[in-house]
Amino acid sequence: MSNTTYSDDDDLRLGALGYKPSFRREFSNLATISFAFSIMGLCSSIATTLNTPLLLGGPTSVTWCWLLGSCMCFTLGSSIAEIVSAFPTCGGLYTASAQLCPKSHRAIVGWIVGWLNLLGQIAGISSTEFGLANMIWAAVSLSSPTFQLTQGKTVGLFAGLLIVHGLLNTFATRYLAFATRGFVFVNLGTTVVIIIVLLATTPRSEMNSAAYVFGNQGIVNQTGGWNNGIAFLLGLLSVQWTMTDYDATAHISEEVRRAAYAAPAAIFIAVIGTGILGWLLNVVLMLCSGPIESLPGISGSAFLQIMALRMGTNVALFLWSFVCLTAFFVVQTALQACSRMLYAFSRDHGLPDNGYFGHIADFTKTPLRAILLTTLLSIIPGLLDLASPIAANAIFALTAIALDLSYIIPIFLRRVYANHPDVNFRPGPFYMGPGLLGLAANVTCISWTLFVSVIFSLPTEFPVTKINMNYASVIVIGVIFLSGVWYVLGRVVNSVVAHRHYHGPMSNLDAETKARLGLGEVQTDLPSISEKEKDRAFVSPS
């Protein structure tokens, strides 16, 4: 079937959800899968976060927390893919959440999920770019031991890289899609090569024992106050931060061909692939890590130090350049996804901008204004490093907490309001069914997300001071509280505040198209269309 036919079918499905097509559909199946893998950035994400599980809980925390966390993330990824398949719009789970609850709750639910998702995505961009800046300086420190790194240099490089990514994202969708196709090969290829070279260059006699990698000998509690159990669980940050932003693929679904099929399939494949290959990489790193007392070494990165120990500095730096390139790809895809979410939120008047950032540039067919704002907002969290490098690490926990909470809300709503007359959840092609399998996955991922949100809110070092305090939970609660106050005050103040101008996800179809599809004038309702149109919108193309 031709790409034009696929696009027509996708646009009809999008119209059935109440939106007109605003983007060009340039992402093929390969580009979409590559995008989903790239947003997780396997080897670079592990390189960025390895210090946390290794230096707080030890090698055992690294290996088992990844395995445990990736299994739980699989239930969350599957649950998200199911919803994305039913609602393939650039609003992602934000749009879906408002359609999975009664009419009276849609505005406030959309508001909370929208702000949580935006907070998590901006923190995700900032933390990944911050990690990339530290990775580059780690390479400089390793090659030049006399180099003196300052917080100003880290923040300066971080901001400069973000500006570069912002400029790259202004390109038209066809160029972004073309570049994205190769991301997956660099990401997975670099990971496989590092595994092979580490095993080939580490003498058998110098490999750590199985008891050290998997057993009690590998529990090394360096928190200064937590018991071994909590120290072990703090290692979950690596896998949870790596395997998040699942719905980034949903945010580009209006640029994807056969989005209801390709987007959820890409999420599903990426979660499985990242989980398995990531566990193998972690196991090999711990086998070849040498004495933990020598880590993270002069570079400040345990990952790079292990590579240098076994491969030699020159080979390690050569492969490290590809790890950094992978991180560069992660930010590129994350900024693209976040700008689409911000565009959708502005389009629905979730921002106090009168829809200014919900604009598509005629020349590139991309949301240039939203890209600019996303870039500027993503610089702000990184400035925490100027106050405290330890406090800046809270950005990583903030990403996982905010994003995962925004994910479980629509999953929870779909179950609670499954039989409500206002809710008409029509499954897409990716569906786990109405039975025990889907229910078990939903309950498991909701319970797990609430559990890890508590873990990631804990301080990681003792004694706790204002310098090493974990501010992740404070920021999340603060954003929820302030946005809630802003929303509620609309009942008593003027139209500037949220309650007056935000009514949940809104259709942007013209009156003629609404009449043809039978959408009526209720903008926040799930479309009620004729059976003939439903068949045309939802039947698989052949």
Side-chain angles (χ1 to χ4, degrees):
M1 182 176 286
S2 69
N3 290 337
T4 301
T5 304
Y6 284 142
S7 295
D8 291 343
D9 209 55
D10 283 323
D11 292 346
L12 183 58
R13 184 186 297 268
L14 188 63
L17 293 172
Y19 295 98
K20 66 180 180 181
S22 302
F23 299 89
R24 293 193 179 103
R25 295 189 181 273
E26 303 282 0
F27 276 76
S28 62
N29 288 344
L30 174 60
T32 307
I33 291 173
S34 181
F35 186 96
F37 268 105
S38 297
I39 202 71
M40 297 184 191
L42 178 54
C43 60
S44 63
S45 294
I46 292 177
T48 301
T49 57
L50 181 63
N51 283 13
T52 298
L54 180 60
L55 302 182
L56 293 180
T60 298
S61 175
V62 173
T63 52
W64 288 115
C65 278
W66 184 279
L67 184 62
L68 173 63
S70 59
C71 290
M72 295 299 104
C73 287
F74 177 70
T75 65
L76 182 57
S78 301
S79 300
I80 291 171
E82 189 175 51
I83 294 177
V84 169
S85 184
F87 300 95
T89 75
C90 67
L93 297 182
Y94 150 69
T95 300
S97 63
Q99 307 291 7
L100 293 171
C101 63
K103 297 177 184 178
S104 58
H105 302 336
R106 286 178 181 172
I108 186 62
V109 166
W111 181 260
I112 293 173
V113 173
W115 277 105
L116 275 174
N117 197 267
L118 269 181
L119 174 63
Q121 291 205 56
I122 289 170
I125 296 170
S126 186
S127 58
T128 308
E129 198 77 277
F130 186 74
L132 175 57
N134 279 315
M135 288 163 62
I136 293 173
W137 289 128
V140 174
S141 299
L142 184 65
S143 59
S144 303
T146 58
F147 174 77
Q148 294 293 320
L149 179 61
T150 64
Q151 291 158 261
K153 291 176 182 177
T154 301
V155 174
L157 179 58
F158 156 81
L161 287 168
L162 262 175
I163 292 171
V164 170
H165 280 112
L167 292 174
L168 290 175
N169 264 283
T170 62
F171 288 16
T173 301
R174 64 179 177 275
Y175 300 119
L176 296 176
F178 178 79
T180 302
R181 292 171 194 164
F183 289 3
V184 65
F185 301 109
V186 176
N187 184 5
L188 300 185
T190 301
T191 303
V192 171
V193 170
I194 289 174
I195 290 173
I196 293 173
V197 175
L198 277 175
L199 291 174
T201 55
T202 305
R204 183 72 177 270
S205 60
E206 296 181 14
M207 287 187 178
N208 291 316
S209 66
Y212 181 78
V213 176
F214 300 102
N216 290 335
Q217 291 181 18
I219 299 177
V220 183
N221 185 345
Q222 300 186 68
T223 61
W226 288 120
N227 59 40
N228 288 347
I230 297 296
F232 173 86
L233 291 172
L234 289 172
L236 289 167
L237 178 65
S238 181
V239 62
Q240 293 291 146
W241 184 79
T242 300
M243 298 179 67
T244 192
D245 212 359
Y246 307 95
D247 75 327
T249 309
H251 292 307
I252 64 161
S253 60
E254 293 183 31
E255 300 165 78
V256 172
R257 300 171 197 149
R258 302 183 73 209
Y261 295 82
I267 294 171
F268 189 78
I269 293 169
V271 170
I272 293 177
T274 300
I276 294 173
L277 198 55
W279 189 67
L280 292 175
L281 176 59
N282 276 299
V283 169
V284 170
L285 283 167
M286 294 304 98
L287 281 172
C288 306
S289 62
I292 195 171
E293 294 78 16
S294 63
L295 299 174
I298 191 172
S299 68
S301 167
F303 194 112
L304 177 57
Q305 207 66 36
I306 293 169
M307 290 173 61
L309 172 68
R310 299 308 179 188
M311 306 174 189
T313 300
N314 291 337
V315 176
L317 289 176
F318 174 74
L319 289 179
W320 190 248
S321 66
F322 289 95
V323 178
C324 292
L325 186 61
T326 301
F328 189 88
F329 291 159
V330 174
V331 182
Q332 180 69 18
T333 51
L335 200 151
Q336 182 182 354
C338 186
S339 66
R340 273 50 173 181
M341 170 57 198
L342 192 146
Y343 156 82
F345 205 36
S346 174
R347 179 181 63 184
D348 295 337
H349 301 289
L351 301 176
D353 64 339
N354 198 30
Y356 179 79
F357 293 102
H359 173 266
I360 298 293
D362 293 332
F363 178 67
T364 62
K365 289 296 181 182
T366 56
L368 294 182
R369 296 174 184 174
I371 291 169
L372 173 61
L373 181 60
T374 301
T375 303
L376 295 176
L377 290 175
S378 299
I379 292 176
I380 297 173
L383 300 179
L384 272 174
D385 190 57
L386 295 174
S388 166
I390 296 176
N393 289 333
I395 307 171
F396 294 88
L398 172 63
T399 303
I401 293 173
L403 280 177
D404 287 352
L405 286 177
S406 76
Y407 297 158
I408 64 171
I409 291 174
I411 297 170
F412 175 79
L413 293 174
R414 189 175 87 74
R415 290 295 173 181
V416 171
Y417 295 111
N419 299 316
H420 196 282
D422 288 347
V423 177
N424 180 20
F425 174 73
R426 182 153 191 171
F430 186 97
Y431 183 46
M432 289 185 285
L436 183 60
L437 176 63
L439 178 62
N442 294 165
V443 172
T444 300
C445 71
I446 291 172
S447 303
W448 176 256
T449 298
L450 295 175
F451 171 71
V452 295
S453 294
V454 174
I455 296 297
F456 295 159
S457 299
L458 300 175
T460 57
E461 295 184 11
F462 282 88
V464 180
T465 67
K466 64 180 181 179
I467 300 298
N468 63 17
M469 170 66 180
N470 182 353
Y471 291 97
S473 59
V474 177
I475 297 172
V476 172
I477 294 172
V479 169
I480 294 174
F481 175 77
L482 292 176
S483 64
V485 169
W486 178 23
Y487 181 89
V488 173
L489 280 179
R491 297 180 181 274
V492 293
V493 194
N494 58 36
S495 60
V496 174
V497 289
H499 185 79
R500 299 288 185 179
H501 64 74
Y502 180 75
H503 304 286
M506 301 172 66
S507 170
N508 63 354
L509 296 175
D510 56 42
E512 181 181 347
T513 306
K514 286 183 181 180
R516 178 172 60 83
L517 294 176
L519 299 187
E521 297 300 323
V522 182
Q523 292 178 309
T524 57
D525 288 350
L526 185 66
S528 175
I529 59 179
S530 68
E531 290 303 317
K532 182 177 179 180
E533 290 289 342
K534 284 180 181 179
D535 291 340
R536 291 182 60 202
F538 293 100
V539 171
S540 166
S542 57

